[in-house]
Amino acid sequence: MVLAMLALLLGFLAGQALVFALPAGFATYLSVAILATLDSTLGGIKGVMQGRYDGIILISGFFINGSIAAFMVLMGDWIGVDLYYVAIFVFGIRIFQNLAVIRRELIEKILHSAAKRKSTSREVS
């Protein structure tokens, strides 16, 4: 946990120190990449909470989904159609579905631990 926090702090400081400008033409690609990253991350969290986490699935989904979405945006640029809306729509749906499952799992875990504490306190008294 300490290593993760240190890496997060180091990444934040590096991001503040380094100046990086992205051309406006890449904004659609960046938005799709961010959504693909968020989708994969939330999918991994959901997998951990459900006890079905698989690192290979997470990494392959991250790269394959992100690559297909970026390619779809590129193809849309080539033919003059805004296909990035499709990627945004699909990733948006998946993100909200993952968040719904994570929320349900958290609520069940909290309620289960509260019920367990209540039952153990009754047994002690």
Side-chain angles (χ1 to χ4, degrees):
M1 182 68 170
V2 174
L3 185 60
M5 295 303 286
L6 184 63
L8 183 64
L9 179 66
L10 184 64
F12 176 76
L13 292 175
Q16 293 298 316
L18 301 173
V19 178
F20 180 73
L22 191 67
F26 292 129
T28 55
Y29 298 102
L30 183 61
S31 65
V32 169
I34 290 170
L35 287 175
T37 302
L38 188 58
D39 174 51
S40 293
T41 303
L42 291 174
I45 292 170
K46 179 181 82 169
V48 167
M49 294 185 80
Q50 292 179 333
R52 300 181 321 165
Y53 174 77
D54 186 2
I56 301 294
I57 300 296
L58 176 72
I59 298 298
S60 66
F62 175 79
F63 286 110
I64 291 172
N65 290 347
S67 298
I68 290 172
F71 182 70
M72 191 168 61
V73 171
L74 179 65
M75 292 298 292
D77 284 347
W78 284 347
I79 61 175
V81 177
D82 292 332
L83 289 179
Y84 70 93
Y85 288 125
V86 175
I88 290 171
F89 180 73
V90 170
F91 282 132
I93 289 173
R94 289 173 49 106
I95 287 169
F96 282 111
Q97 285 175 342
N98 286 336
L99 283 173
V101 171
I102 290 169
R103 185 191 72 239
R104 274 188 240 115
E105 291 289 330
L106 278 175
I107 290 171
E108 286 178 12
K109 188 177 285 188
I110 290 169
L111 292 176
H112 178 69
S113 67
K116 191 174 186 180
R117 268 184 286 167
K118 195 178 227 183
S119 69
T120 57
S121 66
R122 285 183 186 166
E123 290 173 3
V124 172
S125 31

